[in-house]
Amino acid sequence: MPKGASGVIPSLGAAAPGPLPASLLIISLLGYNLWATKRELATTSRSLDTAKRNVEEEKRVSRAAKRTAENAQRRQEESQRAAAEAAEALQRAEEARFATERLWFEGVRPECRPLKEDIVRVKAEYRYSPGFLHIAVVGSSGGGKSSFINAVRGLSNNDPIAAPTGIVETTDAVTRYTDPRPDSQIFWYDVPGAGTQNVPDW
């Protein structure tokens, strides 16, 4: 039996040494190329995913920045509008003040229109009674208002229940008087006279 080059007789089951067949080499190269291509594709896919996430993040940041800018613009516009409205209100108030002062200098008396709440409060303060006639006597100080109330009530100025009278300012607060006549349903109110230091004429 012939010996190998090394002088060792190869066993019957061992493959004989020698160069690889060309087909096996080609298959090996194709397999390696396929594996390298897959790895490159996987790396590219990961890079694409990363780039996609980066793009989405940039879009999100851009949208957030746009919303912030829009909110800032809206707040600025609201502030400018509020400032303009405040300026207009101030101008109207100044014009109203000048008009009122002009009327004062011209001697025109201001109008006083009580609110509903004022009417309710005054009725409670002066004990308004439904079903009765409430008459307030007003005028200049020393004009005889208290004397008039005494006269229409059938009283003299010296009567114990008469309204106090005098030539100077006597009534310093609105005072309520009943009518002493039987079955009378009238209440009289003596109002402090106008034209004094405590009660200006307007």
Side-chain angles (χ1 to χ4, degrees):
M1 180 175 295
K3 297 181 179 181
S6 58
V8 179
I9 300 174
S11 63
L12 296 176
L20 292 175
S23 58
L24 183 58
L25 181 60
I26 293 174
I27 292 174
S28 299
L29 291 175
L30 290 175
Y32 174 79
N33 290 337
L34 180 60
W35 172 81
T37 302
K38 288 182 177 180
R39 186 176 63 178
E40 185 177 355
L41 288 174
T43 302
T44 303
S45 178
R46 287 193 297 270
S47 299
L48 289 174
D49 292 340
T50 302
K52 184 178 180 181
R53 286 194 299 270
N54 292 337
V55 170
E56 293 296 331
E57 180 65 17
E58 291 177 358
K59 289 182 179 179
R60 187 188 64 79
V61 172
S62 177
R63 288 193 297 267
K66 183 178 180 180
R67 287 193 298 269
T68 301
E70 291 175 350
N71 292 335
Q73 178 68 22
R74 184 168 57 253
R75 286 193 296 269
Q76 182 180 4
E77 292 174 354
E78 292 175 353
S79 299
Q80 292 175 350
R81 183 166 57 253
E85 292 175 354
E88 292 177 0
L90 179 60
Q91 182 178 359
R92 289 194 298 269
E94 288 294 321
E95 292 174 353
R97 182 174 66 84
F98 290 147
T100 302
E101 291 178 351
R102 184 175 64 252
L103 293 175
W104 287 352
F105 291 136
E106 294 174 356
V108 179
R109 300 183 179 185
E111 296 182 1
C112 180
R113 299 181 180 181
L115 301 176
K116 183 178 180 181
E117 295 78 5
D118 297 329
I119 296 175
V120 173
R121 178 182 55 79
V122 171
K123 282 184 175 181
E125 181 179 355
Y126 297 115
R127 297 176 291 168
Y128 174 81
S129 300
F132 286 77
L133 180 62
H134 299 258
I135 301 177
V137 181
V138 299
S140 299
S141 178
K145 298 183 300 302
S146 300
S147 297
F148 172 78
I149 291 176
N150 292 333
V152 296
R153 293 167 67 212
L155 304 174
S156 67
N157 289 342
N158 297 324
D159 195 286
I161 62 172
T165 60
I167 59 175
V168 294
E169 186 177 7
T170 304
T171 304
D172 57 2
V174 177
T175 307
R176 182 176 185 260
Y177 295 100
T178 59
D179 196 309
R181 290 170 293 189
D183 301 326
S184 175
Q185 293 183 320
I186 300 176
F187 288 112
W188 297 90
Y189 292 87
D190 194 1
V191 181
T196 66
Q197 184 176 1
N198 295 328
V199 184
D201 60 349
W202 58 289

